[in-house]
Amino acid sequence: MLVIIVALLVNHLTETYSVSFTVVVPGDPVVAHVGSTVILPCWINPPENAEALEIRWYRNEEFSNPVLLYNDGKIQNIQECFRNRTSLTQRSGQSGGLKDGDVSLRLEKLTFQDEGSFHCEVSLESSYGSKAVDLKITEPSTLWKALFFTVLILALGLFGLILYKYRNKLTCTKKGKKIKEGKEVCEEETTEKLTKEGDINIEELKKHAVDITFDSEHLHKGLILTNDCKIVRDDPGYDHTGEGFPLDLCAFGAQRFTSGSHYWEVDLAVGGSPPKNYWLIGVAKEGAFTVRDRSALTPSSGYWFLCSDGPNGFHTNTDPPVKLSLTPRPERLGVLLDYDEGQLSFYNIKESKHLLTISTTFSESVVPLFNPGVGDKSMLRILDCPKPVESAEESSQPLLSNNSSDG
């Protein structure tokens, strides 16, 4: 009985492939562009189930190193440069594919090196057939090029719009910044008399120097003041229970200003210690000595300042606040109050750099504002800043540091 069954199976296989088949491929080259996926068509005719056949796809003179070799019902080998990007168009469990004699090759992620002839050879014992499919690789189609350039133009247009919208922030990086009504704007020509490409003339600033001392009568109880009213720091016993910067820990200058230009300097690295991480320096309206909460420290309430809040960086109290990146951290801060022009300017004296200018309108008497923060080893000291002795020759010199005479 077993012999009969084996004989019937052999007879069935003989009948299945008794008629010799031919390999059919398209007559014209297959064209595809770089990076795309392509099918190299190849069929056997008449259509037969090709799952039991040997299918070899190879390139010219590379028979022994096939692109893909299928045998014994599975893929046996794939050439190294085609790994993970080639397969047969077999659809397991469905009609079509190998079951219907479709032995086409699928190639993905095409490169220019893939261009050329691909031989499709199908064989089983005495039945054999082989044909070549030519593959031509092109650049992306005109449509894709057009789409690419359209997207590129839109992206450039959007980038240009962003640059235009934020042009003031970008163009002010060299001249310095001015904060006006909560926004950064470029410095006007009147401000350029104190800065050129960020550099400043320290001696020119000191022409407006005034002697500033702390007002001991309006000193927060959590602060310690030296007898000369020049140095202040947080009391080690002060318990800061709130979150964030201790805005209430304020000290005020004893001097009042209602007009003119006034300049003073603050030492933030007293005694060679590292620069302070926490401080607040600016001006306040006279009489605004009591700070109840964080929301009270606004320009509308009579406060204008620059704050260093440790790892949270630097910011102004404008609405909205403007965050700044100041590197290196200032060791000595210069402050220039131009009451009549409504400008409060800050300078990194050691680096001879203008940092920013807050622009507003002063209508009442203002006083210098200080806050040493908490947690720093360093103290905050108001420096003696005598006016420079000006000779007749010096009085004729320009306000800016000018290197034009070098040439």
Side-chain angles (χ1 to χ4, degrees), residues 125-196:
E125 297 179 353
S126 60
S127 299
Y128 165 85
S130 179
K131 288 287 181 67
V133 181
D134 291 327
L135 174 62
K136 182 176 178 59
I137 305 297
T138 65
E139 293 184 355
S141 65
T142 304
L143 176 61
W144 283 104
K145 283 185 178 179
L147 181 60
F148 170 77
F149 283 111
T150 300
V151 172
L152 179 61
I153 291 172
L154 289 175
L156 291 175
L158 179 61
F159 182 67
L161 181 63
I162 293 173
L163 287 179
Y164 178 79
K165 182 178 180 180
Y166 293 99
R167 64 192 183 282
N168 289 325
K169 291 184 179 181
L170 296 173
T171 56
C172 288
T173 54
K174 288 187 176 181
K175 291 184 177 180
K177 299 175 182 177
K178 182 197 301 184
I179 313 302
K180 186 172 184 178
E181 297 178 356
K183 299 180 179 179
E184 294 180 0
V185 298
C186 284
E187 295 209 310
E188 300 170 358
E189 293 298 322
T190 55
T191 308
E192 287 188 338
K193 66 184 179 182
L194 295 179
T195 176
K196 183 178 181 181

Side-chain angles (χ1 to χ4, degrees), residues 356-373:
L356 70 131
T357 294
I358 298 175
S359 182
T360 186
T361 300
F362 301 115
S363 58
E364 301 179 48
S365 175
V366 297
V367 298
L369 170 66
F370 307 91
N371 186 321

Side-chain angles (χ1 to χ4, degrees), residues 133-296:
V133 181
D134 291 327
L135 174 62
K136 182 176 178 59
I137 305 297
T138 65
E139 293 184 355
S141 65
T142 304
L143 176 61
W144 283 104
K145 283 185 178 179
L147 181 60
F148 170 77
F149 283 111
T150 300
V151 172
L152 179 61
I153 291 172
L154 289 175
L156 291 175
L158 179 61
F159 182 67
L161 181 63
I162 293 173
L163 287 179
Y164 178 79
K165 182 178 180 180
Y166 293 99
R167 64 192 183 282
N168 289 325
K169 291 184 179 181
L170 296 173
T171 56
C172 288
T173 54
K174 288 187 176 181
K175 291 184 177 180
K177 299 175 182 177
K178 182 197 301 184
I179 313 302
K180 186 172 184 178
E181 297 178 356
K183 299 180 179 179
E184 294 180 0
V185 298
C186 284
E187 295 209 310
E188 300 170 358
E189 293 298 322
T190 55
T191 308
E192 287 188 338
K193 66 184 179 182
L194 295 179
T195 176
K196 183 178 181 181
E197 295 184 350
D199 296 330
I200 56 174
N201 187 327
I202 304 296
E203 296 304 310
E204 182 65 26
L205 289 173
K206 288 185 177 180
K207 290 179 181 180
H208 305 287
V210 290
D211 185 24
I212 301 294
T213 56
F214 289 109
D215 183 353
S216 59
E217 294 183 4
H218 299 99
L219 189 73
H220 190 280
K221 62 182 180 181
L223 295 175
I224 299 176
L225 182 64
T226 57
N227 291 333
D228 61 358
C229 295
K230 285 286 189 176
I231 300 177
V232 70
R233 67 158 302 149
D234 59 308
D235 190 327
Y238 171 70
D239 184 17
H240 175 50
T241 58
E243 295 182 1
F245 192 91
L247 295 175
D248 59 319
L249 203 63
C250 287
F252 300 89
Q255 291 68 34
R256 275 66 174 153
F257 305 114
T258 56
S259 64
S261 295
H262 310 278
Y263 175 77
W264 59 95
E265 293 181 1
V266 183
D267 188 359
L268 300 172
V270 178
S273 62
K276 286 179 65 61
N277 291 303
Y278 300 93
W279 50 261
L280 181 156
I281 296 174
V283 297
K285 180 177 65 176
E286 184 181 7
F289 298 129
T290 302
V291 182
R292 293 181 298 275
D293 55 51
R294 184 180 299 269
S295 62

Side-chain angles (χ1 to χ4, degrees), residues 267-326:
D267 188 359
L268 300 172
V270 178
S273 62
K276 286 179 65 61
N277 291 303
Y278 300 93
W279 50 261
L280 181 156
I281 296 174
V283 297
K285 180 177 65 176
E286 184 181 7
F289 298 129
T290 302
V291 182
R292 293 181 298 275
D293 55 51
R294 184 180 299 269
S295 62
L297 291 180
T298 62
S300 60
S301 299
Y303 293 88
W304 300 268
F305 59 77
L306 172 65
C307 178
S308 173
D309 192 9
N312 296 319
F314 300 84
H315 66 85
T316 67
N317 69 323
T318 49
D319 186 19
V322 175
K323 292 188 176 182
L324 303 162
S325 177
L326 303 183

